Amino acid sequence: MASSGSSNPAQHPLQAVTAAIGSAGGDPRVLQRSSFFQNANDGPAEIAAKISGVNQGGKRADDGPYFTNNEGQVPFQVISHPFPDPAHSKTSGGIPVVSDTFLLQKQQTFNRSKMLERMVHPCGSGAFGYFETTKDMSSLTKANFLGSAGLKTPIFVRFSTVTLGREFPDQARNPRGFAIKFYTGEGNYDIVGLNWPIFFCRDPIQGPDVIRSQSRNVKNFLLWDYDAMFDLLANTPEGNHAGMMFFSDHGTPKGWRYEHGYGCHTFKWVNKEGKFVYIKYHFICEAGQKQLTAEEAMKVCGEDPDYSKRDLWNAIENGEECVWTAKVQIMEPDEADPAKLGFDPFDVTKVWPRDQFPMHEFGRLVLNKNPEDYHRDVEQAAFSPGSMVPGIEDSPDMLLQFRMFFYRDAQYHRVGVNLHQVPVNCPFMSGSLAPLNFDGPMRVDANHGGNPQIAPNSVVNKFRPDAAEAPYKTADNVVSRKSHHYQEGKRSEYDQARELYQRVMNDTARDHLHKNTASFLKHVTMPIIQSKYLAQLHCISPAYGKAVYQLLDEKKFEYTEVEELSKTAEVAGKVEKFRPSQPTDKLVGFQANGIYN
């Protein structure tokens, strides 16, 4: 049977023109290319350039002639899939019918419109801007974005509360996430930190326990599981340094704009000669650090649960720039020995004393552009401490080592293995993007890009041996569960927390700490948890433990019980079999030369 004339593209003038353009290598979709077209004409890199502010031009808003469903319209037909009406379903005798694809698709999309919530840091907001290097750091690191003063790198920063859910009030007591994504010429670099320089645990096996201890009660879904919160701190001596920050006014900062940021972990900077130093990041808020009291925070939570989000958004909408000064502490590898320092430089529950390791300014972090779509640009943003660039590497920090895996794994579970196709995650400034990770749901880029699906192969070799990480020597080569944390089971575990309490805090800060702690501790139902926790505070300072005890509404034991428990509080939760006991039971990472051929 002969084909009808209507099915022959040559018989339709518009089809003939577009076919000719296509055969000549052009894009025949003149109408579609001239409109916003739901950004479908732009790849993730081009969208990322627009939303980050690198590209100021381009269409940003829908200009389609009519609404459609997800399939849009079929070319060359006057009517195919326009949305007929927003208030009337297709019915039979007033009963909705399943052939109403608009009704079904709208509800189906709505049912699936919320992606998995982050297990940690679920509630937050963010902004775009730039990082300006203010000092040439090339003698210490080969990272190209730190190579000379004046270099500017696009960034995205996400702020968040850490535990509980997406609807948790911004000003409620919690740590705050401070995550930075640098879009560098060598790929994306993430710093995933907090508004404090320390964390509650140092061994990754306790990570889920820390988050669960600050989650809702599993029996009744009430906001806090007070028993779990204090039981973890009672049995984790090293965690009470961060515990002090939690219950101090640092637990209720006055919005994202008035808090410092910290990388928390120890990292390596490696230069072109392969020599490295250890570093810690500090981002100091130019507007000054500001906190709320517990009473002020409670009031704000009731009046405006989104206070921090609104404050950041409004400031940038009004043309203000939010600025942090980037500083770094530097430690030579041969200095990084806890036996010499008296503290473990790779223990994320400890800080580096600034009088020993002063801070050096190296940049400015500037936020000046709000996201254009929250779901696309913020909710789908994915960060991982394992996203590093040449010149920045890991350290023996145990928690860092595991976070480099599980943060990326969590995002693969939440967003998918092709999260790099989401514009905010796209390494759009990188000099090369040719991953050897293929396929997976919703893969829409070049995928294999013509490369063989195996490596090595006989066709193409674009590997870079010069990018291999700098080798370092650890303390031993024994595989076991033996602790390598130098201060575990020692009274020195409390030295830095004591310094924070006695020297850094003033009388007002200590008074707020006592009251805030007691207001939570009074809800604990088991007296043994209360007394064991107070024993930890007593080890930091007897005045600390006694002050909190005196503020409890109901005293279920004498303070002498706390004093007795404090005599062995440093080994709480630490089985003797696994405590460090040999000179090599410590975390070190010394320069190792002559390893590579």
Side-chain angles (χ1 to χ4, degrees):
M1 180 178 177
S3 300
S4 65
S6 61
S7 66
N8 184 352
Q11 301 301 314
H12 194 296
L14 183 57
Q15 287 180 326
V17 172
T18 57
I21 294 174
S23 63
D27 189 338
R29 303 174 309 114
V30 179
L31 174 64
Q32 292 87 345
R33 291 293 299 181
S34 67
S35 78
F36 179 66
F37 213 64
Q38 199 65 11
N39 257 160
N41 290 314
D42 299 338
E46 190 169 349
I47 297 172
K50 290 179 180 179
I51 63 176
S52 65
V54 171
N55 181 352
Q56 300 291 334
K59 294 192 175 184
R60 307 297 179 102
D62 177 31
D63 60 356
Y66 48 79
F67 292 120
T68 72
N69 61 15
N70 289 352
E71 280 71 53
Q73 67 179 96
V74 176
F76 318 124
Q77 295 187 17
V78 178
I79 295 178
S80 177
H81 290 291
F83 206 131
D85 187 80
H88 296 89
S89 300
K90 182 180 177 182
T91 71
S92 174
I95 299 173
V97 293
V98 77
S99 59
D100 187 349
T101 58
F102 294 95
L103 170 64
L104 268 61
Q105 193 173 90
K106 185 175 183 180
Q107 185 63 51
Q108 288 169 324
T109 302
F110 179 79
N111 289 349
R112 296 159 176 82
S113 59
K114 284 190 177 181
M115 60 194 302
L116 284 173
E117 184 178 285
R118 288 173 169 87
M119 285 299 297
V120 189
H121 302 272
C123 179
S125 65
F128 293 94
Y130 64 89
F131 177 83
E132 180 179 6
T133 301
T134 56
K135 183 180 179 182
D136 184 343
M137 307 304 288
S138 58
S139 64
L140 298 176
T141 174
K142 61 186 176 182
N144 68 358
F145 77 104
L146 299 176
S148 63
L151 282 175
K152 290 186 178 180
T153 302
I155 59 169
F156 174 72
V157 177
R158 183 178 184 270
F159 305 94
S160 61
T161 48
V162 175
T163 58
L164 301 167
R166 285 184 63 183
E167 309 308 322
F168 192 57
D170 289 348
Q171 301 313 110
R173 187 164 303 284
N174 222 235
R176 300 301 191 276
F178 194 107
I180 312 166
K181 188 178 295 292
F182 300 80
Y183 301 101
T184 86
E186 296 174 304
N188 288 354
Y189 173 44
D190 294 349
I191 297 176
V192 192
L194 297 172
N195 66 320
W196 312 333
I198 50 177
F199 194 57
F200 296 88
C201 72
R202 56 196 174 200
D203 192 309
I205 204 167
Q206 283 191 281
D209 302 294
V210 169
I211 303 306
R212 293 182 190 280
S213 76
Q214 295 176 25
S215 299
R216 288 183 177 272
N217 191 302
V218 297
K219 293 182 178 178
N220 51 31
F221 204 61
L222 294 180
L223 187 57
W224 296 106
D225 186 341
Y226 295 99
D227 283 9
M229 174 185 291
F230 286 100
D231 204 13
L232 182 128
L233 292 172
N235 289 285
T236 311
E238 66 272 21
N240 288 285
H241 194 183
M244 289 177 67
M245 298 294 286
F246 182 93
F247 290 113
S248 75
D249 290 344
H250 288 276
T252 50
K254 190 179 179 180
W256 315 136
R257 293 196 296 142
Y258 300 106
E259 62 184 30
H260 298 332
Y262 302 90
C264 299
H265 297 291
T266 298
F267 301 92
K268 288 206 306 286
W269 274 2
V270 186
N271 67 15
K272 292 180 180 179
E273 286 72 46
K275 296 180 180 179
F276 65 79
V277 293
Y278 290 111
I279 61 100
K280 276 187 177 287
Y281 291 115
H282 302 252
F283 298 92
I284 307 304
C285 179
E286 278 196 5
Q289 196 171 210
K290 298 179 184 179
Q291 289 109 23
L292 300 175
T293 65
E295 294 76 19
E296 291 170 337
M298 184 71 74
K299 184 174 184 292
V300 174
C301 285
E303 293 178 347
D304 186 1
D306 296 317
Y307 177 88
S308 295
K309 304 184 195 75
R310 194 183 317 279
D311 178 64
L312 177 67
W313 177 274
N314 288 344
I316 294 176
E317 285 294 289
N318 291 331
E320 295 182 47
E321 289 188 336
C322 306
V323 183
W324 287 259
T325 301
K327 298 187 176 184
V328 65
Q329 290 177 286
I330 302 168
M331 185 184 295
E332 295 292 337
D334 59 356
E335 294 180 296
D337 186 340
K340 296 178 182 178
L341 293 170
F343 70 93
D344 187 344
F346 305 112
D347 181 346
V348 74
T349 71
K350 304 293 182 290
V351 298
W352 293 3
R354 295 183 186 180
D355 56 347
Q356 288 179 260
F357 303 96
M359 299 201 298
H360 305 273
E361 181 179 338
F362 71 99
R364 294 173 71 243
L365 198 72
V366 180
L367 299 182
N368 58 10
K369 185 180 184 300
N370 277 321
E372 297 182 12
D373 185 274
Y374 183 87
H375 180 82
R376 181 192 65 187
D377 303 340
V378 182
E379 186 61 17
Q380 293 189 105
F383 296 87
S384 170
S387 293
M388 296 182 177
V389 293
I392 302 174
E393 297 179 8
D394 62 279
S395 78
D397 181 331
M398 280 186 70
L399 191 61
L400 170 63
Q401 289 285 336
F402 197 66
R403 283 183 81 210
M404 291 173 69
F405 157 72
F406 80 74
Y407 265 61
R408 177 62 65 217
D409 184 65
Q411 302 298 354
Y412 282 166
H413 174 61
R414 193 178 70 91
V415 184
V417 295
N418 290 313
L419 57 82
H420 66 281
Q421 296 179 155
V422 178
V424 71
N425 302 320
C426 179
F428 71 100
M429 296 297 289
S430 179
S432 178
L433 179 59
L436 294 182
N437 303 309
F438 307 130
D439 306 335
M442 298 300 292
R443 190 68 183 250
V444 297
D445 62 7
N447 199 10
H448 291 75
N451 287 314
Q453 62 181 340
I454 61 165
N457 59 68
S458 304
V459 179
V460 60
N461 183 347
K462 297 190 291 185
F463 294 95
R464 287 274 305 277
D466 62 300
E469 298 82 357
Y472 61 89
K473 297 178 183 178
T474 55
D476 61 41
N477 56 5
V478 177
V479 176
S480 76
R481 292 189 181 273
K482 190 81 174 290
S483 174
H484 283 63
H485 288 112
Y486 183 75
Q487 289 169 289
E488 182 172 313
K490 299 177 182 177
R491 300 296 281 192
S492 64
E493 191 78 84
Y494 305 102
D495 288 351
Q496 290 195 0
R498 186 178 302 113
E499 176 80 353
L500 173 62
Y501 181 80
Q502 294 181 343
R503 187 185 66 81
V504 179
M505 290 184 171
N506 58 27
D507 289 341
T508 300
R510 283 189 288 267
D511 181 60
H512 290 180
L513 171 67
H514 301 154
K515 291 177 180 177
N516 297 340
T517 306
S519 70
F520 273 59
L521 186 61
K522 69 181 182 181
H523 295 289
V524 171
T525 62
M526 299 176 64
I528 185 60
I529 295 176
Q530 286 185 324
S531 59
K532 287 180 67 177
Y533 172 72
L534 288 170
Q536 295 294 328
L537 305 192
H538 187 88
C539 289
I540 294 170
S541 170
Y544 183 13
K546 290 175 182 177
V548 174
Y549 175 79
Q550 290 300 327
L551 289 169
L552 293 176
D553 296 335
E554 181 183 0
K555 299 173 180 63
K556 302 174 183 177
F557 46 85
E558 298 296 325
Y559 196 76
T560 53
E561 182 178 331
V562 173
E563 294 173 323
E564 186 64 28
L565 288 169
S566 72
K567 294 177 181 178
T568 56
E570 70 275 14
V571 297
K574 314 298 181 187
V575 177
E576 184 177 5
K577 177 178 180 177
F578 304 116
R579 290 182 218 152
S581 57
Q582 302 298 321
T584 54
D585 294 339
K586 59 183 180 181
L587 293 175
V588 296
F590 298 131
Q591 189 93 38
N593 299 315
I595 302 300
Y596 295 127
N597 297 328

